[in-house]
Amino acid sequence: MQKNSPIDTMRLVVLIVWCIFIPLLGSTQEQTVGTLVYNPELYAEGYTLIFPHNQHRSLLLNACGEVVHSWDLAENERPGNVSYLMENGDLVTTSRPANVSNDPIWAGGGGATIARRSWENEMIWSFTLNDSTARLHHDIEVLPNGNVLAICWERIDSLEAVESGRDPMLLQNGVLWSDRILELEPSSAGGAEVIWEWRAWDHLVQDFDSTRSNYGVVADSPQKIDVNFGSSNASSSDWLHMNSIDYYGYYDLGGHILLSVPTFDEVWMIWHDYALESDLIWRWGNPASYDRGDSTDQKLFYQHDAHWGQSDMAITPGDPDFTKICVFNNRVPGADGSTYSEVGKLTLVFDEYKSGYDFDLTTGTWGPEDFSWTYTEEGLSSSGLSSFQLLEDEAYLICAGRTGELLENGFDGTRAWEYRTPLINGFPVEQGTVLEQNQNMTFRAYRYPADYGAFAEHDLTSGIPLELNPMLLDACATGMVEQSLHAWSIYPNPGLGVVHVDWEQPLRTDQTMGVFDGMGRSVLSIVVQTGSTNALLNLSSLSAGIYTIQWMGQNTGNGTRWVRLPG
């Protein structure tokens, strides 16, 4: 009898240990990431786009948390911070360099580049602004004609800031960053040009120094911006920190631009018109910012994602929510001194006789008095990031950004879908991993309906989960194709060069089997012939790590399998 070599013996021991350990692990493993809840009867059919921090892909997810499509940035780029999917399948996305240590202007939400890419990720046009004078940040808005509105920091030096009435004690490192809005028009050469801008710095008031510019009574100028106001960031260089932008109107006739200004705890509205330099035409959330109230009047607390209901695709003209303002209210004070988050809707009153939104002459403030609707739940708390989207049939999708939690509720408040981004600092984690706050930050999440034009000519029937060693919910195993491959297995595991894959029922058609690395990239695929009940995968060329194996082009009863290649 031939004796086993020491290496063969060691491999046999490892295989036996894994054969015993892995089933035990699977039977006791707690589901902590990926899709945690899926109620098909309540789920608003469609695909969810996320662009998590600290990695370089925009990811389109199905209800089971499988990545059905993605758009990659370069390895040295990171989100900056949003992506939007167009009706024709193009993606308008933002990015920044991964290394920001030497950037002249940097704060949370920093961006650099806006780009439009095809479904196949081919560059259509791009625009970059990231230098010592200005930098793109946080959010963009794609206009009906394809132009893009972008938020931009602009550097104001200390001399200009003081001359404009800024208190020198509120200057940090001799500089202040204000915000301006740029409109970019794509060019035929693959770039874009600035064709319109609005500067917050052109709309100031101050009551600090009567010898300087912009001096006046702040309470008498609610349409102006107090250059010395600001919440916790008042002494920081990043004065306004605008974090969202939205547009409402017909482009050729002009329209309104909605801005979220968290350091003022307010949302602002300005007029978009090439012939008009607009002051604020509406502001809401914190009347103290223009000396017309105190802390008891405050409604917004470092809010994010302020937008009109019409920006959410499920909301159409005639819907009561079409002209409402939606917002994620991040830091609402609790009775015990802690903070929590809520989402809310505002019903605005437009008075054509007053040429604008309802303004109370007695109090000197804009309406409404309060939210028309709010929602929170136990544990909902994200001090920054986050989003809120209205879905069909009074459902809604919440993204708690700092915990990477996506929560969809049906019309009656019942949970329809729950997903937790399965990343730590941009790298996929195994199912069962307990994530801490800020490890899987997800700026926003957006659901596109299943009949959205971008999906018309694309196959989104299969994908792989982001997490390693995924667990499939029962709801994801129903409605699968008649040809069931529930009992397919992989051995040896850890893999030893060549891996065997077996299943019970012979294939009725040729099928493709794919191998994907930890970032979800395809590293190997083979075509398995009709009638087969097994296949061999040669993994000898792959480096050590964890890989997922998936049938491509069809669903299986248990989604994916994974294999570890030892170093």
Side-chain angles (χ1 to χ4, degrees):
M1 180 183 296
Q2 184 178 359
K3 293 183 178 180
N4 291 334
S5 68
I7 293 179
D8 289 336
T9 301
M10 181 182 67
R11 286 177 173 174
L12 181 60
V13 170
V14 170
L15 177 59
I16 292 172
V17 170
W18 275 80
C19 287
I20 295 173
F21 176 70
I22 292 300
L24 290 176
L25 178 63
S27 65
T28 60
Q29 186 181 55
E30 180 185 0
Q31 194 157 2
T32 58
V33 295
T35 297
L36 306 176
V37 176
Y38 171 36
N39 184 338
E41 294 181 359
L42 292 176
Y43 178 79
E45 289 297 332
Y47 301 93
T48 306
L49 185 70
I50 62 172
F51 198 23
H53 280 25
N54 301 317
Q55 53 86 58
H56 63 284
R57 292 194 301 160
S58 293
L59 304 164
L60 196 63
L61 308 174
N62 63 18
C64 295
E66 296 168 331
V67 180
V68 296
H69 194 69
S70 66
W71 294 260
D72 287 16
L73 302 172
E75 291 281 354
N76 63 348
E77 293 181 297
R78 296 293 180 267
N81 287 271
V82 294
S83 289
Y84 295 106
L85 185 59
M86 301 294 100
E87 185 85 22
N88 72 342
D90 291 349
L91 188 80
V92 182
T93 189
T94 62
S95 63
R96 64 164 175 84
N99 185 352
V100 298
S101 59
N102 296 319
D103 289 358
I105 297 177
W106 170 252
T113 298
I114 300 169
R116 185 162 183 147
R117 298 168 177 265
S118 70
W119 182 268
E120 293 76 22
N121 206 32
E122 297 168 340
M123 186 71 72
I124 299 172
W125 64 264
S126 68
F127 175 87
T128 298
L129 181 57
N130 179 21
D131 57 33
S132 60
T133 65
R135 180 170 192 158
L136 300 173
H137 67 95
H138 276 93
D139 195 14
I140 60 174
E141 169 72 1
V142 184
L143 295 174
N145 68 342
N147 289 2
V148 173
L149 295 175
I151 305 171
C152 170
W153 285 311
E154 65 170 329
R155 186 181 188 276
I156 308 294
D157 67 35
S158 59
L159 293 178
E160 182 179 358
V162 171
E163 174 54 35
S164 296
R166 178 77 169 180
D167 182 349
M169 296 297 292
L170 299 180
L171 289 174
Q172 190 176 68
N173 301 322
V175 67
L176 178 136
W177 308 336
S178 184
D179 276 328
R180 59 177 168 156
I181 308 303
L182 307 179
E183 181 180 349
L184 304 175
E185 181 179 64
S187 68
S188 58
E193 298 179 356
V194 177
I195 63 168
W196 178 87
E197 73 172 18
W198 179 89
R199 303 176 69 232
W201 203 250
D202 292 335
H203 306 276
L204 303 178
V205 66
Q206 56 92 11
D207 56 7
F208 173 73
D209 189 339
S210 61
T211 68
R212 304 294 182 180
S213 302
N214 308 307
Y215 186 74
V217 178
V218 172
D220 292 343
S221 304
Q223 77 281 8
K224 299 287 187 179
I225 305 165
D226 184 355
V227 72
N228 290 307
F229 189 81
S231 57
S232 58
N233 273 17
S235 61
S236 171
S237 310
D238 184 12
W239 172 43
L240 302 174
H241 195 76
M242 291 181 182
N243 58 30
S244 75
I245 182 169
D246 195 35
Y247 176 84
Y248 179 79
Y250 297 98
Y251 179 76
D252 55 343
L253 299 177
H256 293 164
I257 297 173
L258 184 68
L259 303 165
S260 171
V261 189
T263 57
F264 275 54
D265 299 304
E266 282 190 302
V267 288
W268 296 348
M269 197 183 299
I270 61 173
W271 181 258
H272 179 280
D273 191 302
Y274 296 109
L276 177 67
E277 180 65 18
S278 169
D279 285 334
L280 307 186
I281 61 174
W282 177 80
R283 65 196 301 177
W284 193 86
N286 186 17
S289 66
Y290 50 100
D291 281 355
R292 286 288 184 174
D294 55 30
S295 61
T296 63
D297 302 303
Q298 186 173 339
K299 303 298 181 183
L300 292 178
F301 301 88
Y302 213 81
Q303 75 289 332
H304 283 69
D305 192 28
H307 65 276
W308 280 279
Q310 61 96 27
S311 295
D312 296 335
M313 266 168 260
I315 309 303
T316 56
D319 189 303
D321 287 332
F322 193 78
T323 57
K324 289 181 181 177
I325 301 295
C326 305
V327 66
F328 189 102
N329 204 8
N330 291 75
R331 305 177 183 178
V332 183
D336 61 355
S338 63
T339 63
Y340 65 93
S341 299
E342 67 181 8
V343 297
K345 294 187 286 189
L346 291 168
T347 302
L348 273 62
V349 177
F350 187 85
D351 190 333
E352 59 181 331
Y353 298 105
K354 295 181 181 178
S355 300
Y357 291 94
D358 187 33
F359 186 78
D360 189 327
L361 294 175
T362 303
T363 63
T365 61
W366 274 279
E369 292 185 4
D370 206 342
F371 288 102
S372 56
W373 176 89
T374 59
Y375 171 81
T376 189
E377 62 180 59
E378 185 177 356
L380 181 61
S381 180
S382 181
S383 61
L385 304 91
S386 310
S387 62
F388 168 47
Q389 179 190 0
L390 302 179
L391 303 173
E392 60 186 359
D393 297 328
E394 300 183 21
Y396 46 93
L397 178 66
I398 297 169
C399 172
R402 291 204 177 276
T403 55
E405 293 175 293
L406 281 54
L407 313 171
E408 178 188 345
N409 285 350
F411 69 94
D412 61 352
T414 304
R415 183 77 82 235
W417 186 67
E418 184 172 340
Y419 180 87
R420 190 160 193 188
T421 305
L423 302 174
I424 289 183
N425 299 323
F427 293 96
V429 299
E430 290 193 38
Q431 184 60 262
T433 302
V434 177
L435 297 174
E436 302 294 334
Q437 185 168 268
N438 295 329
Q439 289 183 325
N440 61 344
M441 290 190 294
T442 305
F443 187 70
R444 287 187 193 163
Y446 197 84
R447 175 75 50 75
Y448 292 87
D451 60 357
Y452 190 53
F455 308 139
E457 299 180 0
H458 301 290
D459 182 9
L460 302 176
T461 58
S462 65
I464 64 169
L466 265 181
E467 67 270 21
L468 307 176
N469 191 23
M471 297 171 62
L472 194 69
L473 295 179
D474 290 342
C476 293
T478 60
M480 298 298 182
V481 294
E482 179 182 351
Q483 178 184 311
S484 173
L485 299 174
H486 282 73
W488 61 292
S489 59
I490 298 170
Y491 66 93
N493 195 353
L496 303 174
V498 175
V499 172
H500 297 258
V501 184
D502 291 347
W503 55 93
E504 292 181 347
Q505 301 179 18
L507 296 183
R508 297 180 182 177
T509 60
D510 290 355
Q511 299 289 339
T512 300
M513 182 181 293
V515 181
F516 301 83
D517 67 12
M519 294 298 290
R521 295 170 294 200
S522 175
V523 295
L524 176 68
S525 66
I526 64 169
V527 176
V528 185
Q529 301 298 318
T530 302
S532 300
T533 58
N534 62 79
L536 297 178
L537 293 173
N538 188 346
L539 309 181
S540 59
S541 63
L542 303 181
S543 59
I546 296 177
Y547 296 83
T548 54
I549 299 173
Q550 169 130 1
W551 290 96
M552 302 166 66
Q554 74 172 61
N555 290 313
T556 66
N558 205 13
T560 63
R561 297 291 188 271
W562 64 278
V563 63
R564 184 189 299 271
L565 299 184

